[in-house]
């Protein structure tokens, strides 16, 4: 009999985030995840007290990787316009490990869940505030920067929805850069 790899809490958490992206919070279930990971439920209970603890860890991981790590990556760029370009490219084109908005859409469907609601509210506010700061860095007054940050985030969610519902309608590959440039042009043009 082959020896099983000893799984970590991180292995379970990563699998739970993938399950969130694929099927929402209902897909974060111990037995199917154990099967996916090639282990038993006992491994799960070694690391987590219950399913809610795993869901909380998955939400924390998603917030860190798809918000805080993206912001840190973008902040390393030299100026607000380049930062905005990088952010939009990552948001609509994805990056290694990013799920292209699928987790957000799944969480929006269960936004009233007691574990989901505070995380979703915090992530949404953080993202809109960050994008508004980028627009502020381009010289827009605070109210206008906030309005455009909200508009940019709304466009991102719409793009995520289109990517899921009609993937052939969204640009990719060589067309992605032109799409991002056009979007930035629209969002930065004087009103």
């Amino acid at each position: 009999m082959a020896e099983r790899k000893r799984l970590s809490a991180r292995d379970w958490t990563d699998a739970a985030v993938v399950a969130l992206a694929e099927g929402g919070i209902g897909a974060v279930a111990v037995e199917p995840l154990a099967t996916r990971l090639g282990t038993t439920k006992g491994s799960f209970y070694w690391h987590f007290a219950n399913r809610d603890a795993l869901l909380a860890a998955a939400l924390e991981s998603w917030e860190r990787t798809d918000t805080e790590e993206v912001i840190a990556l973008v902040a390393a760029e030299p100026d607000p316009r380049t930062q905005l370009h990088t952010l939009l490219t990552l948001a609509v084109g994805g990056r290694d490990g990013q799920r292209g908005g699928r987790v957000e859409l799944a969480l929006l469907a269960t936004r009233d869940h007691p574990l989901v609601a505070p995380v979703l509210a915090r992530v949404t506010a953080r993202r809109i505030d960050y994008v508004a700061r980028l627009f502020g860095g381009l010289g827009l007054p605070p109210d206008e920067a906030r309005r455009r940050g909200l508009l940019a985030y709304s466009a991102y969610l719409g793009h995520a929805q289109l990517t899921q519902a009609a993937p052939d309608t969204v640009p990719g590959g060589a067309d992605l850069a032109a799409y991002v440039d056009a979007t930035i042009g629209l969002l930065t043009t004087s009103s």
Side-chain angles (χ1 to χ4, degrees):
M1 181 174 203
E3 187 176 324
R4 290 187 182 165
K5 175 187 162 214
R6 171 163 265 161
L7 296 176
S8 66
R10 177 66 186 234
D11 294 325
W12 280 95
T13 300
D14 290 347
V17 174
V18 170
L20 271 174
E22 292 173 350
I25 63 171
V28 180
V30 178
E31 286 189 42
L33 288 175
T35 300
R36 176 180 275 189
L37 291 168
T39 192
T40 65
K41 291 190 308 184
S43 170
F44 169 81
Y45 289 109
W46 182 259
H47 300 290
F48 297 97
N50 54 42
R51 178 186 175 269
D52 280 353
L54 175 61
L55 181 57
L59 292 167
E60 179 183 310
S61 176
W62 167 73
E63 179 176 9
R64 183 184 64 254
T65 60
D66 287 25
T67 300
E68 297 308 325
E69 289 178 10
V70 170
I71 288 172
L73 182 66
V74 169
E77 295 293 342
D79 61 82
R81 189 166 189 90
T82 305
Q83 291 171 346
L84 188 58
H85 191 277
T86 300
L87 179 61
L88 288 177
T89 300
L90 291 171
V92 300
R95 71 179 178 104
D96 293 342
Q98 196 174 26
R99 291 152 286 275
R102 292 183 310 180
V103 174
E104 287 94 329
L105 296 177
L107 294 177
L108 285 168
T110 55
R111 66 190 166 277
D112 293 333
H113 187 281
L115 292 176
V116 171
V119 175
L120 191 57
R122 187 173 57 244
V123 165
T124 300
R126 173 78 165 116
R127 290 174 175 185
I128 292 169
D129 289 347
Y130 181 72
V131 177
R133 276 193 292 143
L134 293 180
F135 284 115
L138 293 172
L140 294 172
D143 287 348
E144 184 62 17
R146 175 81 179 163
R147 186 176 73 80
R148 292 191 193 199
L150 180 59
L151 181 61
Y153 194 68
S154 298
Y156 159 71
L157 289 176
H159 182 89
Q161 192 78 350
L162 277 173
T163 299
Q164 243 186 315
D168 293 338
T169 65
V170 297
D175 296 332
L176 182 62
Y179 175 76
V180 168
D181 289 339
T183 303
I184 290 173
L186 290 169
L187 290 170
T188 58
T189 300
S190 297
S191 48

